[in-house]
Amino acid sequence: MSASQISQLASLISDSVATLERLTLESQTSIPDLNSFGFDPSSEAFRSAPGVAEAVKVAAAACMQLAAVLLPPTDSLYKLALGEHHSFAVRTCLEANVTEILREAGPEGLHVNEIAAKCGLDPSKLGRIMRYLVIHHIYREVKPYVFTNNRISGTLDTGKPSKEIFSDPESKYESTGFPALISHHLDLDHKCSAIAWDVLKDPVLGHSNEITDTIFSKGLNTDTTYWKFFQQPDNLFRHRRFGYAMKGMGAIQSPDLVFKAFDWNSLKPDSTVVDVGGGIGVTISPLAERYPDLNIVIQDLPIVVEEGKKFWSQKYPHALSSNRVKLQAQDFFDVQPVKNASVFFLKHILHNWPKPYMAKILRRLREAATPETTLIVIDNVLPYACRRSSDSETLSDNGGTYYKEAPEPLLPNYGAVSNSPYTLDLTMMFYFNAQEHTVLGLQSLLESTGWRLIKFHSVDPKNDFLQSVEAVPL
C-alpha cells in the first residue's frame, strides 16, 4: 500500500471524527468515554442522530484497516488464530461474575486478591486473565492488580447482586439479554470451533446438508438436531439461557421493522397475510394493530400456537375473537393450506436451514401462491468483500442496491466493522449446515423455487445487512 493510501485512511478518520463532533454537538449528545464505570444504555443516544452511524463505520473501519497495514502481518494473523484465548478470558470473567463484583466495589476498583476470594479462583491466574482483557479495552487496571469496570466490560453485567448469583447460579441469566447471549456463544460455539476442522475435512460430513450431521452435533456429541438438543433434560439450563438471549435480542429489535418491510398500504382491505414460522406473533402484532382491515394468519408448531393464543388473548383479544387474527398449527415443510395469501412473510426462517430445506420451504409457498402473491423474506444479506460490478448486485427498475459501499480504500463492506453478520453466517454453518445469504445466492435460490427477487427494503438502522427481500412468482 502506498503512502498516499495510508494518507487516505488517515483523512477518512480525521474527516469522520470531525463529522461526529459536529453531529453530536447539533444533537446535544456526546460520545461516551471508554473508561466510564460500567455501561449505561442511555449513553448510546448519540447514535440516533442522522449521519452518525455512517461516520462511525467509516472511522472505525479506517482505524482497523490502518492497523492491519502498519502492524506486522504475523501479529495480525497470530491475534486472529489465537482467538480462543479471547473467548476463554471473557468466559472466565463472565461466569465468575467478575463484572458484578466490580460494580459493587465501585469505580475505585478492587484488588484481584479480593475479586478472586469472592469468586473462588486463583488470584494469580485471574489477574493475568483480566490483564489480558484490559489490553483489549475490557476492564481497566487502575493500579497494579486493582481492576474496575469500563464501558465494554459493563455490557456483561446482569444487574443482579453477586451474592444472589452465587447462591442461585441457575437463574443468573434470567431476563438478561446480552450476557445470556454471550454465555451461550462462549459455551456452544467454542465447542463447535474446536471440532470444526475435523468435520469440514471429513469426506462425508464436510459435504453434508443434513441438520443432524453438523459441526454442532459433533462438537456437543449428540445425534439430534440443535433444537431437540435443548429439549433434553441435561440441557435445561442451556435452553432457558438461550430463551433469555433471544428475548433480549428481540427487545432491541426496531419496533417499526415490520412496517419498513413492505408497502402495506398497497394491499386491498381483507387481504390475507401469512406469517410463516411466526412464533407467537410478536413481530407481526404491530401490523394487526395498525391495519385492522387485514387478515393475519400466524403459523407455527402446535406447542408454539398454544403459547401464541395466550399472548393474543392478553394483548389483542379483539383481533383473536373477531377471527381477524388466526393462529394455525403448520409445519412449513408440509403443503401450505392458505391458498389466497396476498403476502407470505418469513422472518429469520431460511437462515436456520440447509439449502435443500430452504428450497422446500420456498417451493411449498410457491405451490400455494396466486399470481399476485408477494413473498417477503427478512434475513441478513451479506455483501462480498470486493467492489460490485455494474450489474452483479444491482436490481433493475426500482429495486436498487441493498447496501452502500464504503469509500476507497476501505473494503466495500466496511471490513471488520461488519463482523457480526459474517460471524452469524459461520454460526449458522456450525448449528445447522445453513448460512446467511449473499444477494446472488439468494437470487439463485428464489429463482430455483419459482420466485423472482424484485426489491430490497432496509429494516434496521443498526444493521445495514438485515434486509426485507421482496419477491413475486415467476
Side-chain angles (χ1 to χ4, degrees):
M1 176 174 283
S2 67
S4 62
Q5 288 177 308
I6 295 176
S7 297
Q8 279 183 280
L9 291 171
S11 294
L12 286 174
I13 296 169
S14 178
D15 293 346
S16 297
V17 168
T19 298
L20 284 171
E21 290 179 335
R22 175 177 58 81
L23 292 175
T24 52
L25 183 63
E26 291 173 356
S27 63
Q28 297 184 327
T29 58
S30 59
I31 297 174
D33 186 346
L34 176 61
N35 291 330
S36 298
F37 180 64
F39 173 70
D40 179 359
S42 66
S43 66
E44 294 291 281
F46 78 100
R47 299 187 193 277
S48 61
V52 164
E54 177 66 14
V56 166
K57 286 197 303 181
V58 170
C63 287
M64 292 177 177
Q65 191 162 323
L66 187 60
V69 171
L70 297 178
L71 292 174
T74 49
D75 284 10
S76 297
L77 190 57
Y78 192 75
K79 178 182 177 181
L80 195 63
L82 275 292
E84 73 274 6
H85 290 59
H86 304 161
S87 300
F88 152 71
V90 173
R91 189 180 187 190
T92 297
C93 291
L94 174 64
E95 305 298 0
N97 310 315
V98 168
T99 297
E100 287 85 357
I101 291 170
L102 291 179
R103 183 237 302 150
E104 293 166 350
E108 297 302 315
L110 198 63
H111 195 281
V112 70
N113 289 345
E114 296 181 69
I115 303 171
K118 290 177 180 290
C119 63
L121 297 181
D122 181 292
S124 173
K125 293 175 182 177
L126 180 60
R128 289 153 58 197
I129 291 167
M130 294 192 69
R131 190 170 294 113
Y132 181 72
L133 291 176
V134 169
I135 69 168
H136 296 288
H137 306 291
I138 303 172
Y139 300 109
R140 293 175 60 210
E141 188 171 19
V142 292
K143 296 177 183 177
Y145 298 100
V146 176
F147 297 91
T148 188
N149 280 326
N150 70 350
R151 175 173 160 77
I152 297 179
S153 69
T155 64
L156 300 176
D157 192 354
T158 62
K160 300 177 180 181
S162 61
K163 286 185 178 180
E164 178 184 310
I165 301 173
F166 283 119
S167 64
D168 185 14
E170 292 288 312
S171 298
K172 172 174 179 173
Y173 295 109
E174 185 172 346
S175 305
T176 61
F178 188 72
L181 180 68
I182 296 302
S183 177
H184 166 83
H185 284 304
L186 289 172
D187 174 13
L188 301 187
D189 289 42
H190 200 56
K191 292 177 174 64
C192 290
S193 64
I195 199 72
W197 168 240
D198 295 315
V199 176
L200 290 176
K201 72 178 182 179
D202 186 281
V204 176
L205 296 179
H207 298 272
S208 175
N209 278 316
E210 289 304 318
I211 55 176
T212 51
D213 294 333
T214 61
I215 292 169
F216 171 84
S217 64
K218 301 308 171 187
L220 276 296
N221 194 29
T222 180
D223 59 0
T224 188
T225 67
Y226 178 83
W227 301 115
K228 290 183 178 179
F229 172 83
F230 283 121
Q231 296 172 14
Q232 296 171 350
D234 290 347
N235 293 315
L236 178 60
F237 171 75
R238 282 169 163 158
H239 192 188
R240 292 172 60 218
R241 180 184 60 191
F242 180 73
Y244 300 141
M246 292 302 99
K247 285 182 180 179
M249 293 303 97
I252 63 173
Q253 173 182 289
S254 177
D256 59 350
L257 179 150
V258 69
F259 301 124
K260 294 180 178 180
F262 180 68
D263 178 14
W264 301 104
N265 292 319
S266 66
L267 296 181
K268 297 177 182 178
D270 289 325
S271 293
T272 297
V273 177
V274 182
D275 189 358
V276 180
I280 64 174
V282 172
T283 297
I284 210 74
S285 61
L287 189 70
E289 194 172 14
R290 183 177 295 187
Y291 292 91
D293 57 350
L294 294 179
N295 298 306
I296 295 174
V297 181
I298 303 163
Q299 297 179 335
D300 215 298
L301 298 177
I303 189 172
V304 181
V305 165
E306 291 308 309
E307 288 300 312
K309 289 177 179 177
K310 296 176 186 176
F311 169 79
W312 285 88
S313 295
Q314 294 171 359
K315 299 288 186 179
Y316 309 99
H318 178 68
L320 205 59
S321 62
S322 67
N323 217 31
R324 191 171 59 81
V325 172
K326 299 177 182 177
L327 288 106
Q328 185 178 72
Q330 166 67 11
D331 186 326
F332 42 54
F333 294 115
D334 293 339
V335 173
Q336 172 58 240
V338 180
K339 308 297 184 182
N340 65 333
S342 296
V343 172
F344 285 124
F345 182 85
L346 296 90
K347 176 178 175 287
H348 288 161
I349 300 297
L350 295 183
H351 78 160
N352 287 332
W353 297 94
K355 280 186 179 179
Y357 291 80
M358 289 189 206
K360 187 171 184 179
I361 294 169
L362 294 172
R363 287 194 187 99
R364 288 301 194 192
L365 298 180
R366 180 63 185 89
E367 291 164 2
T370 73
E372 289 75 38
T373 298
T374 299
L375 172 71
I376 297 173
V377 175
I378 296 181
D379 263 330
N380 283 306
V381 181
L382 304 183
Y384 301 101
C386 57
R387 299 275 162 186
R388 61 172 169 251
S389 64
S390 59
D391 59 353
S392 67
E393 295 187 73
T394 303
L395 296 176
S396 59
D397 301 324
N398 61 350
T401 55
Y402 69 95
Y403 77 101
K404 175 185 175 183
E405 290 188 337
E408 293 277 12
L410 300 180
L411 289 174
N413 60 0
Y414 294 87
V417 169
S418 304
N419 175 73
S420 293
Y422 291 90
T423 299
L424 183 60
D425 183 37
L426 298 186
T427 299
M428 295 301 101
M429 181 199 302
F430 283 177
Y431 294 172
F432 310 115
N433 276 329
Q435 64 186 88
E436 300 300 314
H437 313 284
T438 62
V439 62
L440 296 182
L442 182 58
Q443 194 168 23
S444 175
L445 175 67
L446 289 168
E447 288 178 355
S448 72
T449 55
W451 298 96
R452 178 168 64 89
L453 195 162
I454 62 169
K455 192 178 295 185
F456 294 100
H457 302 272
S458 182
V459 294
D460 187 349
K462 299 184 295 298
N463 179 3
D464 290 342
F465 304 143
L466 185 62
Q467 297 285 320
S468 172
V469 178
E470 194 173 326
V472 294
L474 279 170

